[in-house]
Amino acid sequence: MTLQQKRLAVRTAFFVLFVVAPPLDIFRFDLTLNHFILFGQPWTLGLTAFVNGEIGAGEAAFNIVVRGFLPIVIGAVLLIGTAWRYGRLYCGWLCPHFSVVEMINSLMLKASGKPTLWEPKSLPEQQLNGSLLTPDQKYWILVIVAVVGFAFLWAVSLLTYLLPPKEIYTNLFNGELTRNQSIFIFAATTVLALEFLLARHLFCRFGCAVGLFQSLAWMGNRKAMVVGFDSQKVSNCIDCNAACDNACPMRLKPRSIKRKMFTCTQCAQCIDACDQAQGSRGKDNLLLWLENDCARHISEHEFGHAPDLPRDCFNKNDQESN
């Protein structure tokens, strides 16, 4: 499997988990019971027992710390710790929203020649594998179906995280949704459809707190993994059609400084695109994931410096041995 095939498999598995977690009682918050369900077991703070006099103040405080604050702290540490070293890895490899972003990007590209409505111009029809991608307006039907379909699936899934999934799916299949359930699904589907169609990248960049905190942690570490560009071979880019820019699902410029790659999801599509574009001409890849001292040289550009990268940073054999 290629790297992108592995990433697709991981993203697909996590998206399925996102949808089935409530019905399987893996994780959800039940508003009717007013507590979390975790792997089929109730996850409460035990405050009801304290109010009823069944446990003392010390045990209640212990429960609040262990069952309330500790899971939040552990989750935050894992997320921020991973982002500190690897950037927005969760976004590019797991996030169910980003899976929708990439899916709609690909369909919109086939429909209009542009991955988003706001792209200033169409991307080249010549693909890296030598084929031609000619826009076909018939694909707009699939774009709308995907936008509305994913929005509806998200809306229903979000509702099952709050109310008993069996009740929601039974009411949905029987056409017996309650008034409040119908309003929630309709409103959430409408908002999500507009977001998926018009502002999906805007949300990833500025509206998602999970993504924002990952980016902030990543920017704070000068040695964090980053896509580096071999500027000493910039002449090899002259006869390339900006393959790395065209491949980026977040519409970033991978050859830019780290600050301008603030929302990079580490999906490596730019690296693969550059590898194909340069490999077809018998040349080395100009983009690689860099870490530690090699990454520090990239990050130094944020502070007004422009140090030359050590040549072994772009030696694939050295990279693999490290």
Side-chain angles (χ1 to χ4, degrees), residues 9-319:
V10 172
R11 285 168 37 226
T12 301
F14 194 81
F15 190 92
V16 172
L17 178 62
F18 164 74
V19 174
V20 304
L24 296 181
D25 277 343
I26 296 174
F27 175 77
R28 64 187 178 89
F29 181 82
D30 196 317
L31 288 175
T32 62
L33 300 175
N34 201 31
H35 63 68
F36 285 96
I37 302 293
L38 183 64
F39 295 110
Q41 301 299 317
W43 187 268
T44 69
L45 297 180
L47 295 181
T48 302
F50 173 68
V51 172
N52 294 335
E54 299 172 4
I55 61 175
E59 187 175 353
F62 178 79
N63 287 340
I64 291 174
V65 172
V66 173
R67 299 182 181 182
F69 290 107
L70 191 58
I72 295 175
V73 170
I74 292 175
V77 169
L78 288 176
L79 179 69
I80 300 302
T82 301
W84 170 261
R85 182 169 182 179
Y86 299 110
R88 295 177 68 158
L89 208 61
Y90 167 80
C91 295
W93 287 75
L94 294 176
C95 178
H97 180 274
F98 195 66
S99 294
V100 177
V101 170
E102 291 197 71
M103 172 67 74
I104 296 175
N105 277 5
S106 63
L107 291 175
M108 199 169 287
L109 181 63
K110 293 178 180 179
S112 65
K114 302 190 295 183
T116 78
L117 293 176
W118 314 118
E119 196 79 10
K121 58 181 180 180
S122 298
L123 301 187
E125 293 186 3
Q126 181 73 43
Q127 301 299 293
L128 294 175
N129 60 7
S131 65
L132 289 177
L133 178 60
T134 303
D136 186 344
Q137 292 190 356
K138 293 180 181 178
Y139 277 98
W140 278 114
I141 298 176
L142 291 180
V143 171
I144 300 303
V145 169
V147 166
V148 176
F150 276 115
F152 178 76
L153 179 59
W154 260 75
V156 173
S157 297
L158 290 176
L159 188 57
T160 61
Y161 275 90
L162 302 174
L163 294 175
K166 183 178 180 180
E167 174 188 338
I168 299 303
Y169 284 116
T170 299
N171 291 351
L172 181 63
F173 292 143
N174 294 332
E176 299 174 350
L177 289 170
T178 67
R179 179 176 181 274
N180 288 338
Q181 291 169 0
S182 299
I183 291 175
F184 180 93
I185 292 177
F186 176 78
T189 299
T190 300
V191 172
L192 286 168
L194 290 174
E195 189 261 327
F196 288 157
L197 182 64
L198 304 174
R200 56 189 182 278
H201 299 94
L202 186 66
F203 175 82
C204 288
R205 292 180 180 180
F206 307 110
C208 178
V210 175
L212 179 61
F213 281 111
Q214 287 182 93
S215 292
L216 291 174
W218 179 60
M219 291 297 296
N221 181 11
R222 300 187 189 183
K223 294 186 178 183
M225 185 174 74
V226 64
V227 175
F229 172 59
D230 190 354
S231 58
Q232 295 190 22
K233 296 182 179 179
V234 67
S235 59
N236 290 353
C237 285
I238 294 176
D239 54 349
C240 176
N241 65 351
C244 57
D245 296 356
N246 299 336
C248 179
M250 286 296 288
R251 316 314 304 141
L252 304 176
K253 307 295 183 185
R255 291 166 291 175
S256 304
I257 59 177
K258 185 176 178 180
R259 175 171 53 81
K260 293 185 178 181
M261 294 289 289
F262 182 78
T263 54
C264 174
T265 61
Q266 306 292 14
C267 68
Q269 291 193 55
C270 60
I271 296 176
D272 288 347
C274 183
D275 192 28
Q276 291 183 55
Q278 297 299 325
S280 64
R281 295 192 291 272
K283 299 178 181 178
D284 294 332
N285 195 347
L286 305 181
L287 293 177
L288 285 178
W289 267 330
L290 303 179
E291 294 184 84
N292 302 320
D293 287 336
C294 291
R296 183 181 61 80
H297 282 268
I298 300 295
S299 300
E300 289 295 331
H301 286 270
E302 305 302 311
F303 302 93
H305 306 293
D308 292 332
L309 277 168
R311 290 309 309 157
D312 60 3
C313 288
F314 285 93
N315 185 302
K316 291 185 179 181
N317 294 326
D318 290 344
Q319 290 288 316

